[in-house]
Amino acid sequence: MRKNIVAGNWKMNLTLSESVSLIKELKTKINQDSLENTRVIVAPTFVNLFAATEVVEDTMIEVAAQNMHFEDNGAFTGEISGKMLQEIGVNTVILGHSERRTYFGETDEILKKKVEKAIENNQEVIFCFGEQLEERKEGKHFEVVTSQVEKALFELGAENWKNIILAYEPVWAIGTGETASPAQAQEIHAYIRKFIAENYSSELAETISILYGGSVKPANAKEIFSKPDVDGGLIGGAALKADDFTAIVNATI
Ligand code: PEP
């Protein structure tokens, strides 16, 4: 059975002390004994990752990075490699977030290289994809999401998909307060799962966790997560508040 996952993308928020405090609060609020079928992940900014790995020690909370480069090292000023993350105990990385695509020019080709490097390192990838508002209005959302997934991931061997988590994040729902309806989320998740089944196998497709992201809040989490192809969420704004994030985690239980 595939696992539910609730991952908090903290983006460029929280200083070191704020990050440590939030994790400490989560440690007291999240009932660790209830996490048999739910993984809880937090993704602080790079400079706070190492401290985060120390604070989560002996808990069920995991730490992920928000990005990484596709080379191991070299003349790439300001960049961070997968090897650097692994040495500080961070083995999961978010790739393809729409903010990276939009503000930092990350193309399908760049993302393919990043995913392949992460897989080579045996890292786990939370791969984000999703359509813009205009694309949905024009009825191109199925085409856009399949193209994003196919271009970055479909040269991976079936055995590498054990390290892939998908996150459908319609761009029009990120940070806007606008949420895809549970039915809209389910429709895309089922479509992507079928697309994977057709290109790999239905056995593989059934094992892939597909998260929904876009203005998930305590008030809407339960209904979205109740859909059969929605396996948890990638959470932005609400991940910065311990009570809200805990309530969203509890919505998977
Ligand atoms: C995100 O940035 O991945 C996200 C889903 O943000 P929010 O929950 O704030 O819409």
Side-chain angles (χ1 to χ4, degrees):
M1 196 165 86
R2 47 180 193 264
K3 282 226 165 186
N4 288 313
I5 299 169
V6 177
N9 172 15
W10 292 2
K11 312 193 185 190
M12 195 177 72
N13 291 299
L14 307 183
T15 62
L16 174 61
S17 56
E18 290 165 343
S19 302
V20 168
S21 304
L22 178 52
I23 297 175
K24 284 186 176 163
E25 225 182 319
L26 292 174
K27 277 166 58 168
T28 62
K29 294 194 161 154
I30 295 173
N31 176 4
Q32 313 270 327
D33 296 335
S34 66
L35 298 180
E36 269 157 45
N37 199 40
T38 299
R39 288 175 61 191
V40 178
I41 302 176
V42 293
T45 186
F46 281 129
V47 289
N48 299 329
L49 284 173
F50 184 55
T53 61
E54 296 196 318
V55 188
V56 299
E57 230 172 347
D58 302 323
T59 75
M60 305 277 280
I61 302 172
E62 303 170 49
V63 176
Q66 298 173 18
N67 182 29
M68 63 176 245
H69 196 265
F70 53 75
E71 294 288 354
D72 291 333
N73 54 266
F76 300 103
T77 303
E79 290 291 327
I80 306 280
S81 75
K83 294 272 178 214
M84 293 170 184
L85 295 173
Q86 283 184 301
E87 195 174 318
I88 60 163
V90 176
N91 211 44
T92 301
V93 60
I94 299 170
L95 292 176
H97 192 279
S98 66
E99 288 151 17
R100 298 294 317 169
R101 293 178 193 258
T102 305
Y103 305 140
F104 303 98
E106 293 200 359
T107 60
D108 294 325
E109 292 68 36
I110 292 172
L111 291 169
K112 178 173 186 290
K113 287 202 223 174
K114 290 188 175 198
V115 168
E116 286 174 356
K117 176 53 75 175
I119 295 298
E120 182 189 315
N121 290 343
N122 201 20
Q123 288 173 292
E124 180 178 60
V125 173
I126 301 176
F127 182 79
C128 307
F129 62 96
E131 80 283 359
Q132 308 272 346
L133 183 58
E134 278 312 306
E135 293 166 333
R136 178 161 279 263
K137 280 188 182 159
E138 289 166 16
K140 292 187 180 152
H141 42 297
F142 293 109
E143 190 186 315
V144 170
V145 295
T146 46
S147 164
Q148 289 173 339
V149 169
E150 180 177 18
K151 286 189 176 141
L153 303 177
F154 274 18
E155 278 181 37
L156 296 177
E159 69 284 3
N160 296 321
W161 278 75
K162 65 179 189 309
N163 280 356
I164 301 289
I165 297 162
L166 295 177
Y168 169 54
E169 298 210 306
V171 181
W172 47 273
I174 296 179
T176 58
E178 181 98 24
T179 324
S181 68
Q184 283 172 319
Q186 168 60 23
E187 184 180 39
I188 294 284
H189 285 223
Y191 190 80
I192 287 293
R193 201 180 298 288
K194 186 161 158 273
F195 189 52
I196 295 168
E198 285 162 2
N199 284 276
Y200 287 89
S201 67
S202 43
E203 290 73 29
L204 188 145
E206 284 305 313
T207 64
I208 304 296
S209 292
I210 309 180
L211 318 186
Y212 169 77
S215 299
V216 176
K217 304 271 179 288
N220 59 23
K222 190 112 201 156
E223 203 188 343
I224 297 171
F225 297 166
S226 70
K227 293 294 174 190
D229 286 290
V230 178
D231 308 307
L234 182 56
I235 318 299
L240 299 172
K241 295 183 202 116
D243 286 333
D244 286 1
F245 192 66
T246 303
I248 294 169
V249 169
N250 290 343
T252 66
I253 294 164

